[in-house]
Amino acid sequence: MPLTLTEEKAPDGHERLIYAEDPASGLRAYICLHSTAYGPAAGGCRMWNYASKEEARTDVLRLAGGMTSKNAMAGIELGGGKSVIIGDARTDKSEDLFRSFGQAVHSLNGTYYTAEDVGISPEDMAVVARETPYAVGLDGGPHGSGDPSPFTAEGVFQCLRAAREILSGSDNLKGQRVLVQGLGHVGMSLAQKLHAAGADLIVSDINQAALDEARQKLDAEICPVEAVFETEFDIFAPCALGGVLTAETARKLTANLVCGAANNQLATPEVAEILRARNIQYLPDYVVNAGGIISVAGEIHKAGPGYREERLTGIASRIRDILADSLRTGKTTIQVADDMVESILTQALQVRKGAA
Ligand code: NAD
């Protein structure tokens, strides 16, 4: 049986939801276009061992919505979308699988651009790109932007310093205890920057090799995965998976600042209020972690070299504005950021209507 694409009913607020299946290659994937109001949808592809098709569907809807906010805030003229492949990234990858996924992306005629997310490497994306020009984050070529992770890490690092400056009057990280949760593509790069800036590192991961590397090269203290919220530190940098801040963990957290790359760090919206009430400054994930999509956007728009650097610097200045507004008005940082996104999207729609 060939590749089949099934258009499912997208929940309110989402434009399209497509389920792609190809028994020959083993592909089972969802692609969600949340919004194309601000340009073609763009967002990475995640490969994850979801327990069920429903779990994958829930994840893609949530992640695609986050991309709309992230891309609007980053000023990159792209809408929000995401894709997820159901499978184990360690054992289920094959050329056929990624080519089949590439065909599914291509069938959307450029309304969705895909790139790397958790479980997907630039090598995998290069296979997808054999089937479609709408696969980005590629190594090489005239506009290839490569792995977006170092740019994500740089954006997180700049935000962390900007917030320190607002909160303490100095962006010096010397002696600050920073816990990096997840030492993957982004987390390890961030840990290196923090170490170079004089921070005292604490690291937590399920991957022993990454922990050993951080201990040996970055003089990091290791925190067992289950002890993160029982440990004392000043800054929390979640760089593993989403949902780590629940009502329970937010009440235990000892840090006064949360700034990390993981998408959807707050398990539920109420957590933002718990953090605010405890005077813990949470820097909205979709603002902080935009460095990777900014890098990819340069490739999509075939932009010159200044494009990425200019917009990367813009991330930290937006965080300064958001934090200052939150401290002044008492609104949560996420509320301030969401209001900004709404006004950006409303304006984009008005411009589009005016042009039509
Ligand atoms: P990755 O897969 O390279 O790294 C994730 C790391 O988290 C791995 O080392 C893994 O072992 C570890 N981990 C898994 N479960 C854990 C747990 N319970 N406790 C501690 N560590 C655990 O992924 P990445 O590309 O570094 O992305 C990290 C996060 O940042 C993800 O949430 C991703 O969606 C988000 N993000 C990444 C980018 C990017 O450019 N790569 C951009 C925006 C957002």
Side-chain angles (χ1 to χ4, degrees):
M1 215 165 60
L3 171 68
T4 54
L5 300 167
T6 310
E7 188 88 37
E8 292 191 7
K9 186 173 165 8
D12 276 354
H14 295 72
E15 287 181 12
R16 288 184 73 183
L17 178 65
I18 296 110
Y19 180 65
E21 190 168 34
D22 180 1
S25 69
L27 179 75
R28 291 188 304 144
Y30 270 110
I31 302 176
C32 176
L33 277 64
H34 176 260
S35 167
T36 54
Y38 198 31
C45 170
R46 175 171 293 195
M47 184 161 184
W48 193 252
N49 216 355
Y50 294 101
S52 64
K53 201 176 146 186
E54 285 61 42
E55 201 186 332
R57 185 179 189 277
T58 304
D59 208 28
V60 80
L61 292 170
R62 193 175 54 104
L63 290 165
M67 289 310 298
T68 297
S69 302
K70 186 186 307 197
N71 296 350
M73 188 68 108
I76 53 178
E77 294 176 347
L78 292 169
K82 199 87 183 181
S83 47
V84 298
I85 296 179
I86 303 170
D88 189 327
R90 290 164 303 184
T91 52
D92 296 342
K93 288 184 179 181
S94 70
E95 176 168 349
D96 285 353
L97 178 96
F98 288 120
R99 288 194 89 130
S100 190
F101 175 67
Q103 289 161 17
V105 170
H106 196 64
S107 74
L108 299 172
N109 295 318
T111 53
Y112 169 65
Y113 282 87
T114 193
E116 299 88 347
D117 190 51
V118 175
I120 301 289
S121 68
E123 293 74 33
D124 302 328
M125 218 19 79
V127 180
V128 179
R130 283 189 217 146
E131 299 290 337
T132 179
Y134 307 115
V136 285
L138 304 174
D139 278 330
H143 296 284
S145 58
D147 182 3
S149 310
F151 304 101
T152 305
E154 178 58 26
V156 175
F157 181 64
Q158 288 184 16
C159 289
L160 201 146
R161 293 187 80 129
R164 272 284 297 158
E165 191 169 12
I166 289 192
L167 299 173
S168 72
S170 162
D171 67 355
N172 194 346
L173 295 175
K174 222 173 170 54
Q176 284 290 296
R177 278 172 66 78
V178 187
L179 190 141
V180 179
Q181 182 185 48
L183 288 170
H185 291 92
V186 181
M188 188 61 92
S189 172
L190 176 65
Q192 287 160 354
K193 290 172 194 289
L194 291 165
H195 176 66
D200 291 340
L201 271 182
I202 311 162
V203 293
S204 185
D205 202 301
I206 50 173
N207 176 350
Q208 191 57 44
L211 292 172
D212 291 344
E213 186 183 334
R215 185 176 43 204
Q216 283 157 18
K217 296 188 183 159
L218 309 176
D219 204 17
E221 189 183 308
I222 291 172
C223 175
V225 167
E226 64 287 356
V228 166
F229 296 99
E230 322 295 335
T231 305
E232 296 265 332
F233 46 89
D234 304 303
I235 300 171
F236 181 40
C239 297
L241 293 177
V244 283
L245 287 164
T246 62
E248 193 192 345
T249 59
R251 287 196 183 96
K252 288 181 170 178
L253 186 66
T254 55
N256 52 40
L257 176 63
V258 179
C259 174
N263 284 311
N264 305 315
Q265 289 163 27
L266 307 185
T268 55
E270 308 78 77
V271 176
E273 192 49 54
I274 297 172
L275 294 172
R276 195 196 59 82
R278 294 195 59 220
N279 214 14
I280 298 170
Q281 305 306 326
Y282 163 71
L283 306 189
D285 44 24
Y286 69 75
V287 185
V288 163
N289 69 15
I293 195 73
I294 285 173
S295 171
V296 160
E299 184 175 341
I300 293 174
H301 297 312
K302 301 186 174 37
Y307 180 95
R308 181 163 64 199
E309 277 58 41
E310 195 185 308
R311 281 162 186 76
L312 259 180
T313 316
I315 300 178
S317 46
R318 268 186 297 280
I319 279 297
R320 281 193 195 91
D321 293 346
I322 291 168
L323 204 45
D325 195 349
S326 160
L327 292 168
R328 190 167 42 80
T329 60
K331 287 186 192 170
T332 64
T333 49
I334 194 81
Q335 207 180 335
V336 174
D338 285 351
D339 288 351
M340 282 166 79
V341 166
E342 205 179 307
S343 106
I344 292 167
L345 290 176
T346 308
Q347 237 175 319
L349 279 173
Q350 275 165 359
V351 169
R352 189 186 262 201
K353 267 190 206 150

